[in-house]
Amino acid sequence: MRQRLLTALASRFERRLLTIVAPPGFGKTTLLAQAVGENALLPRGIDVWLSCEPADADGTSLLDGIADALGATVAETTVAGDGAGDGHRASLDRVVAAVWSRSPLRVALVLDDVHEIPAGSPGAAALDDLIESLPENGHVVLAGRAEPPVRLGRLLAEDRALLLGADDLLLTREERAELAELLGVDVDVLDGCGGWPALARLTAVAGRSGAERYVWEEVLESLKPESREALATLAAIGGADEELASAALGEPVDLDRVLDGVPLVAQRTSAHGRWYVPHDLWHPFVERAIAPEAATAARRRAAGVLRRRGDLRRAG
């Protein structure tokens, strides 16, 4: 039970939108379940949970699922018009009416696995409309592996949204010590996991081999080949900015795009733009994703760029 995160989640009844975005194994669903359970003991409002599925990329399906979770009745009316758009509107009205009917009680619509709804899909448009149309007692929590496909700017400017990311969900030193005590292992066993919750637990329970299997099956195999190659190359050269990474890879690369959703890649500002450094944790996992001769060639190309910049220490 990570109280600092549960306290943040409790603010879902004060804001229109709260998002949780992190890769697999960062405890998003566990955190949501704990927050809902805590609210059941000392209610601040009503939680309504829906786990999104690929079918929810269709906006009407998504809204009907939320309405069903709310226990809303289906209107026995037929609306003339273009069909799909009218169905979307009727479903949205159904959700809005169901939330409004519970006023003054606050209602939090908790949507897990929102990454199943692609940007630009009818489901994404339905989410935007939902956030815009809910009455004042309506609130939304969106959790998933990628940034939710909704407009956040205005809500952030008005302090009506809170964003939690992977860095927020990493285990702190105190939480690692608590987890080690709970699992009956030395805290040093968890120090090499970079604060990654699932990896820490698996390392303690299943050993290093079980943790490695998790990383491959749940994270690396889900990445596109270009993302795996970029991650392996960055690990081989010790980090890079975009120009350096492009030279090492032998072709232009947009690191923001290819590393989107990859956990434990630190970013900092450098003289040549943003610098990306994979955590040491990645090295044993990604070294098999790049051939030794390819890694050597990448290092030589990167060293050439660094020499021209006059950064002899890093080039060496």
Side-chain angles (χ1 to χ4, degrees):
M1 299 291 286
R2 299 200 274 170
Q3 196 55 52
R4 65 182 178 89
L5 295 175
L6 290 173
T7 299
L9 261 291
S11 71
R12 66 190 179 278
F13 293 112
E14 310 297 331
R15 306 173 188 270
R16 173 50 57 97
L17 179 64
L18 190 151
T19 70
I20 307 173
V21 180
F26 273 66
K28 300 181 295 296
T29 301
T30 298
L31 178 60
L32 290 178
Q34 290 177 345
V36 170
E38 186 178 63
N39 183 59
L41 295 175
L42 191 63
R44 298 177 179 223
I46 301 169
D47 282 309
V48 179
W49 183 310
L50 180 73
S51 293
C52 297
E53 302 175 347
D56 292 324
D58 168 53
T60 303
S61 171
L62 173 66
L63 293 169
D64 283 343
I66 297 172
D68 290 343
L70 279 161
T73 57
V74 180
E76 298 289 335
T77 57
T78 302
V79 183
D82 64 4
D86 291 331
H88 173 123
R89 185 73 245 177
S91 298
L92 178 61
D93 290 345
R94 188 175 159 220
V95 172
V96 169
V99 172
W100 175 251
S101 71
R102 286 154 176 77
S103 181
L105 292 177
R106 296 167 180 171
V107 179
L109 305 177
V110 181
L111 307 184
D112 196 12
D113 294 333
V114 176
H115 54 267
E116 298 286 6
I117 302 173
S121 68
L127 280 178
D128 249 341
D129 290 344
L130 176 66
I131 293 167
E132 180 70 25
S133 303
L134 281 176
E136 283 304 307
N137 69 314
H139 310 271
V140 180
V141 179
L142 303 178
R145 299 178 181 180
E147 290 291 336
V150 296
R151 291 168 293 179
L152 297 168
R154 181 174 56 82
L155 292 175
L156 287 170
E158 296 172 354
D159 195 26
R160 298 176 67 208
L162 176 65
L163 313 183
L164 296 178
D167 288 346
D168 299 303
L169 270 63
L170 289 173
L171 294 168
T172 64
R173 180 173 296 278
E174 293 76 16
E175 288 167 346
R176 290 202 299 274
E178 186 178 347
L179 180 60
E181 182 179 359
L182 183 68
L183 297 174
V185 299
D186 193 283
V187 69
D188 293 343
V189 174
L190 308 184
D191 283 345
C193 298
W196 191 343
L199 195 64
R201 188 181 187 284
L202 276 170
T203 300
V205 174
R208 183 73 179 180
S209 61
E212 288 185 7
R213 191 176 305 114
Y214 171 82
V215 171
W216 272 105
E217 292 177 357
E218 294 296 325
V219 182
L220 289 176
E221 285 189 355
S222 69
L223 296 179
K224 294 178 180 178
E226 62 175 340
S227 298
R228 282 201 299 272
E229 182 184 9
L231 182 63
T233 302
L234 287 181
I237 65 177
D241 54 45
E242 208 150 270
E243 179 193 15
L244 191 59
S246 297
L249 286 162
E251 60 183 7
V253 61
D254 180 349
L255 290 178
D256 262 345
R257 180 181 62 81
V258 299
L259 296 177
D260 183 38
V262 179
L264 302 181
V265 177
Q267 298 181 26
R268 60 175 183 266
T269 302
S270 74
H272 295 272
R274 196 174 300 170
W275 189 269
Y276 300 77
V277 185
H279 192 281
D280 288 346
L281 168 73
W282 282 119
H283 290 208
F285 300 133
V286 299
E287 62 184 8
R288 71 190 80 172
I290 183 171
E293 57 272 19
T296 298
R299 291 187 186 105
R300 286 179 173 170
R301 288 193 292 267
V305 173
L306 292 167
R307 282 201 313 275
R308 289 195 294 274
R309 291 180 181 177
D311 191 347
L312 301 183
R313 180 191 62 81
R314 188 168 276 133

